[in-house]
Amino acid sequence: MKILAIETSCDETSVAIVEAWMGTHNIPKFKILSNIISSQIALHAQYGGVVPQLASREHLKNILPVFEKAIAKAGIKKTELAKKIQLLAVTAGPGLIPALVIGVDFAKTLSWITQLPLVPANHLEGHLYSPWLSHGEEIKFPALHLIVSGGHTQLIHMKDPFKYKLLGETRDDAAGEAFDKIARLLSLPYPGGPAIDKAATNGNEKAFNFPRPMIDSKDFDFSFAGLKTAVLYLVKTMPEHERILKINDIAASAQQAIIDVLIYKIQQATKEYKIKTIMVSGGVAANKKLRAQISQTTQLPTFFPPPELATDNAAMIAMAAYFNFTKNKEWPFESVKAMPNLRLNVSQ
Ligand code: KG4
Ligand code: ZN
């Protein structure tokens, strides 16, 4: 079946057309026909973070042109939607409510006009299934998935493609949020992750011994707020000229503290649950040092989504929707709504 999916949970307006079918051994397979992403990063950068009302206004402006580009790229005319597409999907949450409602309203209008069924998708399930496109058949179970984005840091145990449970998550800031806040303290541009990643390549990660919060806790939870405070104190007590000189060392040391905690928890969970495959997704999965060090510290196959599926996009929403649709064919129109605090639906 062909799925048309819409994503507007944060600062990317995206529409994708994805072909999905059930492969052998009950493993869904996917082919992306189009995945158009319009990013608002440049707009929000001047404010140092995403401004929800501005995001909403931009989604409203962009959704129709992005939709038109997506169907054109997939070779579908507006008048043939109901014939060529079998399922519509939209991100219901989690995310910013003024942003989510634009996608949800657009999807409901499309569904109403075309009479095509509409399936809501959890944005986090989108990240969870984002490595499927390129590695679906290589993933062995039980698998471990680390979602590391600007809003979430979650460690998930997958018993099979359809059953997963949350092992742990952050108690305060997400890993991406820590990168963004630390970058701000260092006067590096937004988004902070890529800026710290770049600065760290010229820095010494042993220059400052920042805390590794909750590394010794016996659970799989995370906490990054204390690390940000440690960087704040260091920066406050340093003369400005010294801070400027040491910026790369601070970036490298703070980055290493985040990576050490993420990798330690992956290793603990891998041992405890006899994990066979590791997956990492979300914006922070783009971090060069994190990728290299995860691969160095494990013998297990480790999969990351391809770059175009690493940050927010609608193709991963189509994939999550297909998993939902194979489990449940009936999604009442009225139940599809924006749910800013939607949690992962533990199914194991
Ligand atoms: O998944 P994503 O695009 O959006 C959310 O759903 O949050 O993740 C964005 C986050 C931002 O916090 C950004 O700073 C971080 O991912 N990020 C990185 C890198 N690229 C993006 N963090 C560390 N290193 C990177 N190279
Ligand atoms: Zn995301």
Side-chain angles (χ1 to χ4, degrees), residues 74-102:
I76 298 171
K77 293 198 189 81
K78 237 183 279 181
T79 48
E80 335 171 295
L81 272 182
K83 225 168 48 205
K84 296 272 175 86
I85 302 284
Q86 285 72 48
L87 192 67
L88 300 173
V90 67
T91 305
L96 305 167
I97 186 105
L100 287 166
V101 292
I102 305 296

Side-chain angles (χ1 to χ4, degrees), residues 123 127 149-151 176-177 179-180 191-194 197 282-284 286-287 310-312:
H123 180 84
H127 282 301
S149 71
E177 200 177 347
F179 272 103
D180 293 338
D197 192 340
V284 183
N287 188 272
T311 48
D312 291 349

Side-chain angles (χ1 to χ4, degrees), residues 7 9-10 123-124 127 147 149-152 282-283 310-313 316:
E7 152 70 38
S9 68
C10 191
H123 180 84
L124 295 168
H127 282 301
I147 299 178
S149 71
H152 295 88
T311 48
D312 291 349
N313 66 88
M316 71 181 193

Side-chain angles (χ1 to χ4, degrees), residues 30-216:
F30 302 100
K31 182 176 173 211
I32 296 181
L33 304 181
S34 64
N35 185 27
I36 306 295
I37 305 167
S38 166
S39 173
Q40 306 172 7
I41 283 186
L43 172 75
H44 298 285
Q46 53 191 309
Y47 303 98
V50 179
V51 183
Q53 289 305 336
L54 271 187
S56 181
R57 209 174 67 189
E58 284 300 292
H59 285 311
L60 197 54
K61 206 162 77 189
N62 293 333
I63 188 106
L64 201 54
V66 168
F67 162 79
E68 285 181 334
K69 261 192 210 163
I71 58 170
K73 185 153 186 218
I76 298 171
K77 293 198 189 81
K78 237 183 279 181
T79 48
E80 335 171 295
L81 272 182
K83 225 168 48 205
K84 296 272 175 86
I85 302 284
Q86 285 72 48
L87 192 67
L88 300 173
V90 67
T91 305
L96 305 167
I97 186 105
L100 287 166
V101 292
I102 305 296
V104 169
D105 273 6
F106 188 84
K108 288 185 99 164
T109 309
L110 263 189
S111 169
W112 188 75
I113 294 170
T114 57
Q115 291 296 300
L116 288 168
L118 172 62
V119 176
N122 185 318
H123 180 84
L124 295 168
E125 283 191 352
H127 282 301
L128 199 61
Y129 291 118
S130 60
W132 242 262
L133 180 75
S134 34
H135 300 289
E137 283 178 342
E138 300 159 81
I139 301 165
K140 302 272 177 286
F141 297 92
L144 186 72
H145 194 124
L146 175 71
I147 299 178
V148 264
S149 71
H152 295 88
T153 302
Q154 297 188 317
L155 204 51
I156 295 142
H157 176 270
M158 297 187 88
K159 193 171 164 189
D160 65 45
F162 295 91
K163 295 204 182 91
Y164 64 81
K165 81 175 174 199
L166 189 64
L167 296 180
E169 63 187 328
T170 184
R171 296 192 182 172
D172 41 54
D173 293 353
E177 200 177 347
F179 272 103
D180 293 338
K181 288 179 173 170
I182 291 167
R184 214 170 168 166
L185 294 174
L186 300 176
S187 307
L188 289 169
Y190 174 85
I196 291 197
D197 192 340
K198 194 164 160 224
T201 52
N202 300 314
N204 173 7
E205 73 278 2
K206 295 202 177 78
F208 298 96
N209 188 18
F210 290 125
R212 270 72 176 149
M214 293 191 67
I215 202 163
D216 296 322

Side-chain angles (χ1 to χ4, degrees), residues 4 6 20 46 49 79 106 108 154 207 222-223 244 247 253 265 269 277 290 311 315 339:
L4 185 151
I6 294 157
Q46 53 191 309
T79 48
F106 188 84
K108 288 185 99 164
Q154 297 188 317
F222 303 87
S223 161
I244 293 168
I247 208 159
S253 303
K265 300 270 171 168
T277 305
L290 176 68
T311 48
M339 290 179 273

